[in-house]
């Protein structure tokens, strides 16, 4: 059995947990269809019945709900203890979770307890005998193959490595309630207070059909005038590279990439952006990419569908002018 630690919010399983369930289902299909079970620790933020129905749609057989005072607030060791107890009772050979801070912490605790390796940020599996996974390393700049020779195989799945897709054959989503014992030592470190997350201001960027990207080539905080006009003319959103946010030219919620937003617009116009792997991680799924860059050898130019070689401060105003001219014609 494959056991997936699922995190929840008011809408049910969070997106990256649903992605992990999709990944686990693919793994199960390659391995002859072993069941995929979910483990939910503490009280979910949505009604348990709704959660079970949602998880069944993602192919989950049993939802192991670990409940009790020990899980009233989050603690990495306590959660790992619950996952370990469910795993031992249900007998899973694979334990996985989304590569969130919580998923990473809980599975690292679990792996340490069981004395096995843990692979973080897995993006694919390459074979089952031996069980080989491909994972992101060096902040996503490189990929590494890792053989998980011990059982259980423990790994986290990188965010957006796969799409969250409901199963063709839904599971049962039976709820199995359990109240695992937790050793006092596992309750020492716990969350004692939490602050509400800051409002996510990047929603418009994530859903925009057209994104105009801007990198260091913009030149300065004052170099965005023409780019913002192009955003306006195309009814799109501005997305920037990390250099731009690090220099304080634009706010962080506009950043595209591994540590920014993942976007998949119909059109991405990448202006003065080199196309480093960490930026590419956020824009690779754009349907059409146009690069505007002074360097014909920039990685973004090589990866784009179309490229214009030149100074963005000349090309973007010319594009704006042409759009205005055609609209008024
Ligand atoms: C752990 C980690 C996470 C990261 N996460 C992200 C992330 O989420 N998003 C992200 O973007 N980066 C991220 N980075 C940084 C990333 O590695 C690059 O440093 C960054 O993307 C480079 O930004 P840039 O392309 O704007 O700048 P540069 O690499 O300096 O490139 C500037 C480009 O502009 C071109 N140019 C210069 N002047 C002009 C002009 N006048 N007209 C046209 N073209 C011009 C140049 O030829 C060059 O190609 C991360 C790095 C690490 C280590």
């Amino acid at each position: 059995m494959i056991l997936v630690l699922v995190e929840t919010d008011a809408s049910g399983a969070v997106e990256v947990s649903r992605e992990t369930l999709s990944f686990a289902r693919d793994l199960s299909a390659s391995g002859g269809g072993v069941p995929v079970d979910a483990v939910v620790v503490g009280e979910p933020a949505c009604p348990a019945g709704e959660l079970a129905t949602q998880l069944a749609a993602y192919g989950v057989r049993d939802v192991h709900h670990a409940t009790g005072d020990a899980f009233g607030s989050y603690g990495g060791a306590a959660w790992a203890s619950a996952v370990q107890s469910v795993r031992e009772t249900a007998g899973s050979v694979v334990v996985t979770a989304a590569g969130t801070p919580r998923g990473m912490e809980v599975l690292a605790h679990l792996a340490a307890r069981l004395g096995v390796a843990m692979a973080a940020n897995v993006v694919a599996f390459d074979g089952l005998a031996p069980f080989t996974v491909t994972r992101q390393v060096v902040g996503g700049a490189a990929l590494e193959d890792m053989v998980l020779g011990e059982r259980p195989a423990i790994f986290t799945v990188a965010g957006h490595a796969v799409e969250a897709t409901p199963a063709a054959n839904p599971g049962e989503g039976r709820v199995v309630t359990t109240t695992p014992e937790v050793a006092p030592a596992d309750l020492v470190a716990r969350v004692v207070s939490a602050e509400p997350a800051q409002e996510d201001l990047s929603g418009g960027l994530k859903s925009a059909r057209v994104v105009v990207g801007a990198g260091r080539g913009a030149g300065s905080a004052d170099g965005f005038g023409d780019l913002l006009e192009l955003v306006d003319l195309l009814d799109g959103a501005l997305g920037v590279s990390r250099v731009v946010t690090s220099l304080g030219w634009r706010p962080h919620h506009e950043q595209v990439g591994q540590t920014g937003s993942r976007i998949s617009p119909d059109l991405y116009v990448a202006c003065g952006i080199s196309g480093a792997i960490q930026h590419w991680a956020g824009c690779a799924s754009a349907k059409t990419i146009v690069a505007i860059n002074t360097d014909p050898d920039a990685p973004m130019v090589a990866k784009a569908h179309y490229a214009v070689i030149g100074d963005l401060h000349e090309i973007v105003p010319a594009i704006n002018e042409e759009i205005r001219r055609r609209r008024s014609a």
Side-chain angles (χ1 to χ4, degrees):
M1 184 262 281
I2 301 173
L3 185 62
V4 181
L5 172 64
V6 165
E7 294 175 52
T8 61
D9 63 15
S11 63
V14 298
E15 186 185 4
V16 283
S17 286
R18 286 183 280 114
E19 290 170 2
T20 305
L21 288 170
S22 305
F23 187 100
R25 240 176 32 233
D26 289 346
L27 191 59
S28 158
S30 300
V34 293
V36 175
D37 281 11
V39 52
V40 176
V41 186
E43 296 321 303
C46 67
E50 268 176 40
L51 180 64
T53 309
Q54 189 192 60
L55 295 183
Y58 280 82
V60 170
R61 180 190 60 172
D62 288 344
V63 182
H64 302 271
H65 179 203
T67 179
D69 291 347
F71 313 115
S73 63
Y74 171 73
W79 276 44
S81 158
V83 175
Q84 183 175 8
S85 153
V86 168
R87 184 198 99 71
E88 277 163 11
T89 315
S92 62
V93 290
V94 173
V95 184
T96 183
T100 60
R102 203 166 273 198
M104 295 283 199
E105 185 181 16
V106 173
L107 292 205
H109 271 287
L110 180 67
R113 279 156 193 262
L114 298 174
V116 300
M118 172 195 140
N121 289 320
V122 166
V123 293
F125 61 94
D126 296 332
L128 293 179
F131 183 21
T132 310
V133 291
T134 302
R135 68 189 197 106
Q136 294 175 338
V137 291
V138 201
L143 294 174
E144 171 184 272
D145 286 343
M146 183 172 169
V147 174
L148 294 173
E150 298 151 319
R151 294 293 172 266
I154 298 182
F155 62 90
T156 60
V157 177
H160 311 307
V162 294
E163 276 208 33
T165 44
N169 302 312
E172 292 163 55
R174 270 186 316 240
V175 179
V176 181
T177 304
T178 164
T179 48
E181 292 279 314
V182 179
D186 288 335
L187 294 169
V188 172
R190 312 180 68 180
V191 172
V192 289
S193 72
E195 288 180 19
Q198 282 184 343
E199 191 190 350
D200 182 2
L201 299 171
S202 59
L205 172 61
K206 287 179 188 154
S207 60
R209 300 320 321 159
V210 177
V211 174
V212 176
R216 199 198 297 263
S220 72
D222 298 327
F224 287 79
D226 296 318
L227 292 155
L228 288 168
E229 188 185 2
L230 182 58
V231 167
D232 234 29
L233 288 167
L234 297 177
D235 195 19
L238 182 72
V240 301
S241 72
R242 175 147 132 176
V243 166
V244 168
T245 57
S246 301
L247 289 169
W249 295 351
R250 300 292 305 179
H252 179 263
H253 69 260
E254 291 179 354
Q255 183 176 313
V256 168
Q258 181 195 325
T259 46
S261 294
R262 314 263 164 149
I263 57 169
S264 47
D266 294 335
L267 174 65
Y268 183 47
V269 189
C271 309
I273 296 180
S274 58
I277 185 86
Q278 296 88 357
H279 186 83
W280 185 248
C283 66
S285 52
K287 292 186 189 62
T288 302
I289 300 177
V290 178
I292 300 175
N293 202 301
T294 44
D295 178 4
D297 296 323
M300 186 59 91
V301 171
K303 290 170 182 161
H305 301 93
Y306 304 94
V308 184
I309 305 304
D311 185 340
L312 72 90
H313 297 294
E314 291 171 16
I315 291 160
V316 174
I319 295 172
N320 293 347
E321 173 59 30
E322 182 63 15
I323 295 174
R324 279 195 305 269
R325 190 185 66 73
R326 290 191 187 204
R327 288 198 179 155
S328 63

